[in-house]
Amino acid sequence: MSTGSRPFRLRNTLTGRVEPFSPARPREVRMYTCGLTVYARGHIGNFRTFVAQDVLRRFLRFKGYRVVQAMNFTDVDDKTIRGANEAGLPLRQYTDRFIGQFFDDADALGIERAEHNPRATDPRYIKAMAALVERLLEKGIAYRADGSVYFRVAAFPAYGRLSGAGASDRIAGARVDSDEYDKEHAHDFALWKAAKPDEPSWPASFGRGRPGWHLECSAMGLELLGSDFDLHCGGVDLVFPHHENEIAQSEAATGKPFVRHWFHCEHLLVEGRKMSKSLGNQFTVRDLLDEGFSAAAMRHLLAGVHYRQQLNFTRAGLRQAQVAIGRVNAFLARSDRAGGGAEAGDGTAEDAEVAGALDRFEAALDDDLNTSRALAEVFFALKQGNRALHQQGAAGGTGAAPWAAAIRRMNEVIGSFELGKETSDRAVGGERDEQEAPSGLAPELLSRIEERAEARRRRDFARADAIRDELAQEGILLEDGPRGTTWRRP
RNA sequence: GGCGGCGUAGCCAAGUGGCCAAGGCGGAGGUCUGCAAAACCUCUAUUCGGCGGUUCGAAUCCGCCCGCCGCCUCCA
């Protein structure tokens, strides 16, 4: 763990400034992230945000914090209800499917699992939400109308602090909510929606119904993390009204600060255009996997652009990422094969260089998660490591190992290297590693490689090249080095 | 209409007053190699959308203009 004369500075939407991040408890961070509304498979835009949050989470752990994260699933709202009804399925069965798909995609992208994945319809949270509404009713901040319960925005003077002072202006200028309910003011929002015949509903002391959208995050956040927790994350679109409303209802109910630091991730563009259904550019991770792109490339592209910057997600970018990742992975594999103690640490000048790179890496992330700059250090380490490997040559030194270890340390945050089965880089025909070779390459192909090695020994290069070309057809790239031939799938 | 962001080499993308404007991809040349591939080395923006201004000094601050985008309404 590194120490901290240099604080981790992170932009806080609440203040609009990049400021030192200071959790309420010394070595623990309690974070909440607004997860997916599970009426469809999450698209690449959703995952941009989730990857950014994952980088944040991993960096906190990198710095030695214990992280307790809750990421919810919104499994009851207009869209999930409509989807379930159209599919003729019970709500839970309908949403289960998308939750499963979410985890498939998140796992592929190397997104660490949160400690808690609450879903709104869990009885525990329905109960917590009802309790929250009761408190607001008792305090006279919420009111009932037509079977529903609303939050009286006028009763919470701090309203608008997150999204920028003039919340009343925004509201005045905005289109009036088309809700047919009887609200006192257009900008009051529903805490609890009165039951309807074709909608799921739950009993409550203030009437049967279902939770309003904003309520669940407040209830689950408070339930799992307590008041005044450290981080609340989401996409920029959630700043208003969702997060603004969460603050209002939570703080009005508890009388305590809700969240210390708000983290919002910018949206992405796909091929230079806003992602939208009509443009047909709402890709899912699955779609891109099916096109042949690796999840690692997706993560690399998503993680490599600063989170507050609009990111242009393109196939060309994915291809670039793929190449860059391949270079790093190939180095790591080569370094492992070359051997050498990974722990070095005998105070050489080179150790200081490695430590310097790691420190610059951390410094970049300390500066509002500047992943682009951090990545530059990964590539610096790559260059140094490759250089060491180059010089090692036949001499067989251990200079590359510390750089490989440094890259792996950095990858604890970046996460896009050695993700999935990217590396099948193995030595064949050399004097070493024979035993660990084959997983992934058919014996038939291995014997072809042997055959080619034999041909090369005979200096029958026509034969050798023919075999190399054939294997290339199969997607196997052969590389001849001083220690024998290695293969990989590019 | 209100609020906000962005525009840096062929592409992606850091940099917010002062060393030669990070890094990646791509491209050119070289070393190595039977040839390749990989790796390494060198080169690849006298210039930061445009025009003015402030300053000893600006990609970085100010003004205007052009272009792209977001939020204000379900949305990561």
Side-chain angles (χ1 to χ4, degrees):
Chain A
M1 188 206 306
S2 57
T3 50
S5 56
R6 176 187 58 213
F8 171 31
R9 295 169 58 81
L10 187 68
R11 155 93 174 199
N12 185 354
T13 310
L14 205 50
T15 59
R17 284 195 299 270
V18 176
E19 55 188 41
F21 171 72
S22 58
R25 301 169 186 172
R27 297 312 297 170
E28 180 182 276
V29 174
R30 292 168 296 155
M31 82 187 265
Y32 185 92
T33 74
C34 280
L36 209 57
T37 299
V38 281
Y39 68 101
R41 189 171 197 132
H43 50 63
I44 197 69
N46 296 121
F47 281 99
R48 193 259 166 117
T49 299
F50 296 139
V51 166
Q53 291 166 1
D54 183 57
V55 168
L56 170 58
R57 173 193 165 93
R58 283 163 171 258
F59 185 54
L60 290 167
R61 283 155 58 80
F62 178 95
K63 293 185 80 71
Y65 288 106
R66 188 169 92 87
V67 173
V68 180
Q69 181 186 14
M71 177 192 263
N72 75 299
F73 291 110
T74 296
D75 64 350
V76 56
D77 79 320
D78 293 349
K79 285 181 204 162
T80 45
I81 292 169
R82 193 189 324 126
N85 285 345
E86 282 170 6
L89 292 171
L91 184 64
R92 179 152 285 248
Q93 197 180 325
Y94 176 76
T95 56
D96 274 349
R97 187 172 136 221
F98 298 115
I99 289 175
Q101 292 178 349
F102 167 80
F103 282 124
D104 289 345
D105 294 344
D107 290 348
L109 290 172
I111 292 171
E112 291 184 353
R113 295 277 180 126
E115 282 65 27
H116 304 283
N117 284 111
R119 43 200 294 186
T121 59
D122 186 312
R124 176 182 174 191
Y125 304 116
I126 292 281
K127 204 174 141 197
M129 287 187 260
L132 204 56
V133 173
E134 278 164 13
R135 281 167 86 177
L136 289 167
L137 281 167
E138 280 162 22
K139 292 190 173 190
I141 294 163
Y143 60 91
R144 302 157 77 162
D146 210 22
S148 294
V149 183
Y150 295 94
F151 185 91
R152 184 179 288 117
V153 167
F156 186 72
Y159 194 80
R161 203 152 70 90
L162 182 72
S163 54
S168 52
D169 298 340
R170 299 166 73 104
I171 290 162
R175 195 186 314 163
V176 173
D177 196 318
S178 61
D179 258 341
E180 64 275 29
Y181 304 108
D182 296 323
K183 297 191 283 190
E184 287 178 4
H185 295 287
H187 54 268
D188 288 350
F189 58 91
L191 294 164
W192 191 259
K193 298 189 175 186
K196 287 189 198 167
D198 56 343
E199 291 187 351
S201 60
W202 291 262
S205 63
F206 38 84
R208 199 171 176 87
R210 63 175 171 98
W213 173 39
H214 315 297
L215 186 63
E216 61 173 278
C217 291
S218 289
M220 295 188 285
L222 292 170
E223 178 82 2
L224 292 167
L225 305 174
S227 280
D228 198 28
F229 60 84
D230 305 303
L231 267 170
H232 194 128
C233 317
V236 280
D237 53 293
L238 297 184
V239 174
F240 187 89
H242 186 50
H243 289 332
E244 194 70 74
N245 291 351
E246 280 186 46
I247 293 172
Q249 67 202 179
S250 302
E251 299 194 348
T254 64
K256 295 177 192 159
F258 179 43
V259 170
R260 302 166 71 85
H261 212 110
W262 289 84
F263 173 90
H264 290 100
C265 184
E266 184 52 81
H267 283 185
L268 57 66
L269 263 31
V270 169
E271 304 287 353
R273 315 195 63 177
K274 183 186 175 177
M275 199 172 52
S276 76
K277 272 197 184 113
S278 57
L279 287 171
N281 60 359
Q282 275 193 329
F283 303 116
T284 65
V285 170
R286 184 72 256 165
D287 294 334
L288 292 163
L289 246 22
D290 289 344
E291 282 187 37
F293 295 109
S294 70
M298 294 178 222
R299 181 181 174 100
H300 194 73
L301 181 55
L302 294 175
V305 178
H306 187 85
Y307 74 93
R308 286 196 286 117
Q309 188 78 30
Q310 271 187 354
L311 181 163
N312 188 11
F313 192 90
T314 64
R315 289 183 175 82
L318 282 174
R319 274 179 234 116
Q320 290 184 7
Q322 191 92 53
V323 173
I325 291 169
R327 262 165 44 84
V328 175
N329 288 345
F331 163 70
L332 293 173
R334 238 178 278 128
S335 171
D336 287 350
R337 216 180 301 125
E343 66 259 47
D346 44 3
T348 63
E350 187 168 63
D351 288 333
E353 267 195 83
V354 172
L358 276 168
D359 188 60
R360 289 191 302 276
F361 173 83
E362 184 172 348
L365 295 173
D366 275 334
D367 184 12
D368 197 27
L369 290 180
N370 192 329
T371 48
S372 305
R373 228 166 76 207
L375 239 22
E377 294 304 329
V378 173
F379 286 99
F380 172 76
L382 174 67
K383 179 170 273 195
Q384 296 303 311
N386 267 141
R387 191 177 291 172
L389 219 45
H390 197 69
Q391 287 164 356
Q392 265 170 247
T398 61
W403 291 111
I407 289 174
R408 289 199 166 104
R409 172 74 173 138
M410 296 177 193
N411 195 41
E412 286 172 24
V413 182
I414 302 301
S416 52
F417 308 111
E418 299 186 313
L419 174 62
K421 294 268 182 186
E422 287 296 300
T423 42
S424 46
D425 197 317
R426 286 282 188 284
V428 180
E431 75 278 39
R432 59 177 72 222
D433 293 350
E434 199 77 351
Q435 70 286 358
E436 66 169 65
S439 84
L441 199 57
E444 147 69 10
L445 295 175
L446 286 175
S447 66
R448 305 295 300 282
I449 295 173
E450 270 307 333
E451 185 189 342
R452 176 171 171 276
E454 177 54 35
R456 288 185 73 223
R457 276 191 283 275
R458 291 196 316 266
R459 301 191 70 78
D460 179 359
F461 297 119
R463 179 68 191 137
D465 290 351
I467 294 173
R468 185 169 63 197
D469 290 347
E470 284 167 28
L471 287 171
Q473 293 292 316
E474 317 248 356
I476 311 282
L477 190 66
L478 297 184
E479 296 175 355
D480 301 325
R483 299 184 182 194
T485 298
T486 61
W487 65 271
R488 63 193 177 93
R489 301 181 199 275

